[in-house]
Structures are given as C-alpha cells and as structure tokens.
Amino acid sequence: MRRRSFLLGWFPFFHRPKIELSGIPFRVIYHDRGSHRYLVIHGDEDTARDVMTKYMSDHKGVAYIVTGKQREVVIRAVKVDPNRLFSRAGAEFSIRGLNTDIDVERLIEVLDYLDDERGKLLHHLLPPRDGRLFALHNNRDYSVQDELAASNRTSIKQPALPRNFFLCTDPRDYETLQQSPYNVVLQTDPEPDDGSLSRLCARRGIRYINLECAIGEYDAQMERVQWLDQHLP
Ligand SMILES: [Zn+2]
C-alpha cells in the first residue's frame, strides 16, 4: 500500500493526503483501502464532514472529503455544483444556472475540461466491483418528500423526520435498508440525467447509498452511518 501511495504521489501525506480531481481539492482519508468508497462532496455540509472524518478513523475504505467550505466549487473561474458534473448535460445545466452571463466559448472550454477529467474522477470515487459508494449530505430546505415521486420504492418509518433519509440505487441494498427504523428510498432510474452521482451509479449498476441528514444533527447522522456499517456488507 505504501508503495502504491508513493507511486500516486501521496507518500508524504500517508494518513491524510490531498488530491485534486476535476479541479476540486479533496482530502483523502484511509488506513486500509478496502473495497468501499466514501464521499462528502458539498463543502458547506459540516456535519457530514465531521461524521465522515470520525467514522474513517477506525474503518476500512477510502474517503474523499471536499476541502472547500462552499456548496459550489469554482473550476476555471466558473461556478458549478460538484454533484452535477458527473455528466456533460448535468454540468452544463448547473453552470448555466450559476453563471448566468457566461459566454459560450468559456462554457464549452469548461465542459470539455470536465469531460477530460471525468475518467480520473470516477477512477477514484467509484468502488471496485465488490464495494459500494456511500455519500453523506446535509440539507437545509430539502427532504425525502422531494424524492418520493422519483423513487421506485419507499419506506418512510420516520415521517416526522423527513430530512433524514437514505437514498440507494441497488434493490438489494434497499431490501436491507428498509429493515432499518429509518426513511429509505430506492432510485434505479438513470433518467433524467441531472449529472448527479446517484444517476451515474444507477446507470452503471454501481451500489450507491446517499445519506441525507438535517445540518447540525451529528448524532442522528452517525447513528445511521453505524447502522449501515453493521448491516450492509
Ligand atoms: Zn450535499
């Protein structure tokens, strides 16, 4: 592992190396790479960052945690939601919305850059075949209610806590998660392609689980992370 780390240029920062993917700086945490991958992609979701950092101190897998503090990232002087750049169409929609006066040349240049970099980004974030990808998010004005219509199956055991819920792309993971006392939705449809990681994973048949919790609810988020850890292989 150390040799591989050295070859990747991570050697001096073995425990907490940094890496830039698609122009976005991430901190990487792992002590045993294992098969599972973990992600915090929105910089303003401090609770998710804190839970992930604590969890990774004694679990296998590789966690990528965005180092910026804003929700949007700036790539080549253009603002974009980092969870919308997993497809060209999604990135374009996000960039147009966040940079209303952008000219077409600049837009194409950024989209081409993101196309070029996407393979490397996915090489890092996507798990090997026997693994899963687990992303942590926090919300301020969003809840499972917003996802019900787009979901194949839903299990709402905590209707009074709609902001705390799992979203997964694999029916087998849903079968396990819906046995939990928590809110869970399954989304297997890759369309409409909004450029998010969940749509990409649905398209590629990758086990992806997203845990949303209200910002600030550290204990609630950690409790759900631990439930998943103990029940989902
Ligand atoms: Zn988020």
Side-chain angles (χ1 to χ4, degrees), residues 16 27 29 38-59 63-69 135-138 140 211 213-223 225-226:
R16 292 184 173 186
R27 186 153 66 89
I29 306 181
Y38 297 86
L39 177 66
V40 174
I41 202 167
H42 286 139
D44 63 340
E45 298 177 359
D46 298 320
T47 310
R49 180 190 292 109
D50 293 346
V51 168
M52 183 72 81
T53 304
K54 171 77 172 127
Y55 176 79
M56 290 309 295
S57 65
D58 54 1
H59 287 85
Y64 293 85
I65 302 178
V66 72
T67 62
K69 300 292 182 199
L136 300 190
H137 287 269
N138 296 134
R140 294 173 175 81
L211 173 60
C213 282
I215 187 83
E217 295 195 4
Y218 179 95
D219 291 344
Q221 193 149 28
M222 183 62 93
E223 179 185 306
V225 168
Q226 287 171 344

Side-chain angles (χ1 to χ4, degrees), residues 160-174:
L161 298 173
R163 293 171 66 188
N164 299 352
F165 65 99
F166 288 100
L167 183 157
C168 62
T169 60
D170 186 302
R172 288 161 299 179
D173 289 339
Y174 177 81

Side-chain angles (χ1 to χ4, degrees), residues 3 5 14 16 21 47 69 85 101 109 131 166 190 197:
R3 178 166 175 77
S5 301
F14 179 66
R16 292 184 173 186
L21 300 170
T47 310
K69 300 292 182 199
L85 49 72
D101 56 353
E109 184 198 275
F166 288 100
L197 195 48

Side-chain angles (χ1 to χ4, degrees), residues 106-177:
R106 169 58 65 105
L107 176 65
I108 290 172
E109 184 198 275
V110 173
L111 292 175
D112 287 349
Y113 168 78
L114 291 172
D115 282 351
D116 289 344
E117 297 291 314
R118 197 169 292 115
K120 182 184 169 194
L121 173 69
L122 295 178
H123 172 75
H124 280 269
L125 299 189
L126 299 186
R129 222 175 313 176
D130 58 339
R132 51 171 160 74
L133 172 58
F134 187 18
L136 300 190
H137 287 269
N138 296 134
N139 57 64
R140 294 173 175 81
D141 52 10
Y142 164 70
S143 81
V144 73
Q145 295 294 333
D146 299 300
E147 298 293 345
L148 294 179
S151 300
N152 306 82
R153 299 184 64 189
T154 64
S155 173
I156 307 301
K157 300 226 180 106
Q158 298 184 311
L161 298 173
R163 293 171 66 188
N164 299 352
F165 65 99
F166 288 100
L167 183 157
C168 62
T169 60
D170 186 302
R172 288 161 299 179
D173 289 339
Y174 177 81
E175 287 305 322
T176 303
L177 288 167

